[in-house]
Amino acid sequence: MGTIYAIANQKGGVGKTTTAVNTSACVAEAGYPTLLVDLDPQCNATVAVGFPKDCEPSIYDCLSSDLTLPDVARETGVPGLSLVPSTPDLAGANVELPRLPGSETRLREALGTCASAFCSRCSTARRRSAR
């Protein structure tokens, strides 16, 4: 299974998005397939890697429907870095998601499935670079 890093802090302006974008770009450039998931309705990570704030589908669609993270992931300009974009619609998730069955585990399940996919790609990439 791949490694999942969560960068979180309730205080604003402490560099969460900057840390997430730069760390994920560095890991991707080191040769590891990397997925950056933007979970902020301000969409700053999405914009930082070159996508507009209104990308569809988005993480909101993964959390509120049957779409998977690989369905929503987009390749970025950084080789090996994919993005699951956010949209301002995510702000409504606090109200809408608790009404859905299993809402408290939807993100964990989506990340678990996707981490396995990225891990298998990762081992393939490592085998190629070892040749």
Side-chain angles (χ1 to χ4, degrees):
M1 177 149 186
T3 302
I4 298 173
Y5 294 99
I7 300 170
N9 190 330
Q10 283 194 291
K11 174 129 176 48
V14 296
K16 299 177 294 285
T17 299
T18 302
T19 301
V21 170
N22 289 327
T23 301
S24 62
C26 287
V27 171
E29 287 185 354
Y32 297 94
T34 305
L35 180 66
L36 174 62
V37 180
D38 190 355
L39 288 168
D40 185 354
Q42 291 179 352
C43 316
N44 291 328
T46 299
V47 172
V49 295
F51 289 93
K53 289 186 175 190
D54 59 357
C55 279
E56 293 293 336
S58 69
I59 186 63
Y60 178 78
D61 299 304
C62 291
L63 296 174
S64 64
S65 70
D66 291 332
L67 286 177
T68 65
L69 290 179
D71 293 337
V72 176
R74 299 163 180 254
E75 293 295 321
T76 68
V78 177
L81 177 62
S82 298
L83 169 76
V84 174
S86 182
T87 63
D89 295 341
L90 191 59
N94 288 340
V95 175
E96 297 166 13
L97 289 179
R99 298 178 187 159
L100 300 175
S103 63
E104 63 279 354
T105 60
R106 284 177 177 253
L107 179 60
R108 180 181 66 200
E109 290 167 2
L111 288 172
T113 302
C114 200
S116 297
F118 271 81
C119 185
S120 65
R121 289 185 205 165
C122 183
S123 60
T124 302
R126 275 190 246 145
R127 280 193 299 264
R128 273 194 222 125
S129 65
R131 291 181 188 161

